[in-house]
Amino acid sequence: MFRIKRDDLVEVRKGRERGKRGKDRQLLPDKERATLTDVNILKKHVKPGTRVRQAGIIDFEVPIRLANLALVCDKCGKPTRVGFRFLDDGSKARFCKICGELT
Ligand SMILES: [Zn+2]
């Protein structure tokens, strides 16, 4: 089970994009990376071809290592570490290590 799920708000903790926040748009578990909306944008010059109709510059989001990301708690709004605990019904739930709320 990964600490970060799709559509989570996460903050970059290391590297060029440190401090930026974005939504987890795509999780790449086998690469241990995630793509965030509007973070770590690389501009790529493209020529028209089979995949793109028009030449120009396209922006795309470069996946960031999960180790460099922190979940932003939706309860306290801080980038946090998460823990897991079992609920009464036996299911596993994530919680914020700062405020203790389930997230
Ligand atoms: Zn919290």
Side-chain angles (χ1 to χ4, degrees):
M1 197 170 182
F2 279 93
R3 291 174 298 128
I4 290 167
K5 295 182 296 192
R6 204 173 158 190
D7 289 332
D8 275 345
L9 184 65
V10 291
E11 185 171 307
V12 184
R13 304 298 288 159
K14 278 183 185 150
R16 191 168 61 94
E17 299 289 88
R18 186 169 58 183
K20 282 197 182 176
R21 291 180 177 191
K23 264 198 168 181
D24 182 359
R25 203 163 62 78
Q26 193 185 18
L27 192 64
L28 309 162
D30 50 333
K31 296 194 175 103
E32 296 188 16
R33 284 168 194 266
T35 308
L36 309 188
T37 47
D38 298 326
V39 178
N40 215 21
I41 302 290
L42 198 74
K43 291 191 187 297
K44 203 175 182 184
H45 297 261
V46 289
K47 291 177 190 166
T50 48
R51 282 163 63 201
V52 279
R53 259 169 279 149
Q54 270 195 314
I57 299 168
I58 55 161
D59 293 346
F60 78 102
E61 293 140 348
V62 183
I64 300 175
R65 289 177 59 89
L66 292 179
N68 294 345
L69 298 176
L71 177 75
V72 176
C73 173
D74 55 2
K75 303 291 189 311
C76 65
K78 291 174 187 154
T80 184
R81 302 208 332 206
V82 292
F84 291 100
R85 69 163 72 118
F86 288 97
L87 302 180
D88 292 340
D89 64 0
S91 64
K92 208 173 176 185
R94 276 191 326 185
F95 69 95
C96 166
K97 284 192 174 174
I98 295 175
C99 67
E101 293 285 336
L102 296 180
T103 178

